[in-house]
Amino acid sequence: MPRTPILLVHGGAWAIPDDMVEAHQRGVSNALSAGYAQLQKGASAVDAVEAAVSVLEDDDTFDAGRGSFLTRDGRVQLDALLMDGGSMRAGGVACVERLRNPIQAARLVLDKSPHVYFVGQGAEEFAQQHGMELIDNGELVLEREQRRLEDAQAKERAGLPDLTFAGDDKSPETAAELASHDTVGAVALDAKGNIAAATSTGGTLNKAPGRVGDSSLIGCGCYADNSSAAVSLTGWGEPIMKLVLGKWAVDRVQLGRSPEQVAPDAMAYLHKRLGGHGGIILLAPDGRFGIAHNTPRMAWGICDAQGPRTGIHL
Ligand code: GLY
C-alpha cells in the first residue's frame, strides 16, 4: 500500500538573529515546496531531498552553495552528500569550488559511479563529464561574506577567540551563541516506503582550504538506511565527525527507540561528550520523526499529510 510521503528539511542551527528569521523560514518553506512536489508526483525520496537541498543551495541565506562562508583565502569550498536508504547507494563530493549545486554532483556520483566519494578537481571533472556546468568560484562569493571573513581575520589578528573553531577550552554555549552554522539538509520518505537523506554545506568561516566537515561524510552529517532511519545534521562539524553522530542516531532507531527520543539524545550526547552543538532531523521508514537542536534556534520544516509547517524553535 502506498505510504503518505514525508519531507523534513533544516537550514542550520545557531543563534539566528531576529532580522534573519524570516529569510530562514522563507528558504525552508521554498525547499519544502520543491521537495514535496516531487513526492506528490510519485518521485523517489532521493529526488525529493535533492530538489529540496538544491533550493537551499540556491538561496544565499544559507551556508551552502552561493553565499557560503569563505575559506581563509577567500574562496567558497563546498561539501555535500546524498544517500538512498532503499539501495544504500551514496554519493558525496567535498572541497568543490566550481559547482553551483554540489548536491546535484553528489546525485551524479550516486547514480553514475561505482565509487562513493570524490573530492576537489576530480569531483568537478566527474560532474562536468556528466553534464554539469563548471563556474568561476567568484560567482559563489558574496561581498557580505568577504566582509564577514575580514572581520573574523581581524579578530584573529587581535587575539580574540575564533568561535567558529571553538574547542574544548571554550564554552560551547558561547560558541553556539555567536558562531553561525547554516548547513542545510533534508530527509524524506516516499510513497514506496523508501527513505533518503541529503546534506550540503560551505563549512566553517575562515576554514583552512581542504578542510572537510561532517556534512558530506557518511554516517557523520548524513546517513540513510531503510532498516533504521534517515538523518541530516547541522552544526559544528568536528565533534559530530568524532562521534559519527548520524550513525549513532540511526543505530538507536534500529534498536527500537523512537526518533522523537533519539534526536534530543543525540544533541545531549554531542554536548556532553565533546561540548558540541548543532541540530538534527531524523526520520524512520514508518514515518516517525524527530527534530532537535542544542543551539538557541534552528530553521526547520516538515511537510506530510497535514501540510507544510516551519519553525525556528521547537
Ligand atoms: N557542519 C558543517 C561543517 O562543520 O562543515
Side-chain angles (χ1 to χ4, degrees):
M1 194 159 89
R3 305 291 315 250
T4 302
I6 303 177
L7 176 67
L8 285 102
V9 303
H10 69 77
W14 57 293
I16 300 168
D18 289 344
D19 64 357
M20 291 176 72
V21 165
E22 198 188 322
H24 278 75
Q25 288 199 291
R26 191 173 49 241
V28 160
S29 178
N30 290 339
L32 276 183
S33 301
Y36 209 72
Q38 293 288 322
L39 292 169
Q40 279 178 315
K41 69 176 195 195
S44 68
V46 177
D47 291 330
V49 293
E50 181 191 352
V53 168
S54 293
V55 167
L56 294 163
E57 288 176 339
D58 288 340
D59 185 332
D60 64 26
T61 304
F62 302 102
D63 179 32
R66 183 169 178 274
S68 287
F69 290 147
L70 302 181
T71 59
R72 205 162 58 195
D73 56 1
R75 297 174 72 77
V76 165
Q77 212 169 64
L78 304 168
D79 311 331
L81 181 79
L82 195 147
M83 189 157 180
D84 174 4
S87 64
M88 297 285 288
R89 292 178 70 173
V93 296
C95 297
V96 292
E97 297 190 347
R98 294 187 295 160
L99 295 171
R100 200 175 292 284
N101 291 105
I103 201 67
Q104 293 171 14
R107 175 66 189 267
L108 287 170
V109 175
L110 183 151
D111 281 342
K112 304 207 180 289
S113 172
H115 308 306
V116 167
Y117 206 71
F118 286 77
V119 299
Q121 195 182 334
E124 291 168 354
E125 284 169 5
F126 177 85
Q128 188 181 36
Q129 281 157 17
H130 291 88
M132 283 185 75
E133 182 195 3
L134 295 190
I135 60 168
D136 190 276
N137 190 255
E139 289 186 40
L140 302 171
V141 175
L142 294 192
E143 263 179 48
R144 177 193 74 197
E145 295 306 321
Q146 289 172 323
R147 282 196 300 276
R148 204 198 294 265
L149 180 66
E150 278 163 24
D151 287 350
Q153 294 184 339
K155 282 188 187 142
E156 201 172 51
R157 282 193 297 277
L160 296 172
D162 177 356
L163 291 165
T164 304
F165 289 102
D168 297 344
D169 57 332
K170 300 181 187 82
S171 149
E173 287 79 11
T174 308
E177 191 68 34
L178 297 176
S180 62
H181 293 287
D182 266 349
T183 294
V184 303
V187 292
L189 167 67
D190 64 28
K192 291 188 174 150
N194 289 311
I195 54 175
T199 307
S200 180
T201 190
T204 47
L205 173 62
N206 200 20
K207 68 183 178 182
R211 176 261 186 195
V212 176
D214 62 301
S215 306
S216 65
L217 299 183
I218 288 193
C220 297
C222 185
Y223 197 76
D225 178 356
N226 275 10
S227 73
S228 54
V231 65
S232 175
L233 286 119
T234 176
W236 174 23
E238 278 70 7
I240 295 171
M241 289 155 74
K242 290 176 196 168
L243 297 173
V244 197
L245 196 58
K247 188 70 163 64
W248 185 98
V250 302
D251 283 351
R252 274 147 188 83
V253 176
Q254 190 168 31
L255 290 172
R257 305 215 33 236
S258 83
E260 203 178 346
Q261 292 172 326
V262 171
D265 285 357
M267 292 298 100
Y269 175 55
L270 174 66
H271 188 261
K272 185 165 175 231
R273 191 78 176 80
L274 289 175
H277 57 266
I280 182 170
I281 52 176
L282 182 63
L283 175 65
D286 62 7
R288 291 175 305 156
F289 65 88
I291 305 172
H293 57 101
N294 64 0
T295 49
R297 286 175 165 164
M298 171 172 174
W300 60 270
I302 179 167
C303 194
D304 56 13
Q306 295 167 47
R309 284 95 71 201
T310 64
I312 205 80
H313 293 294
L314 292 180

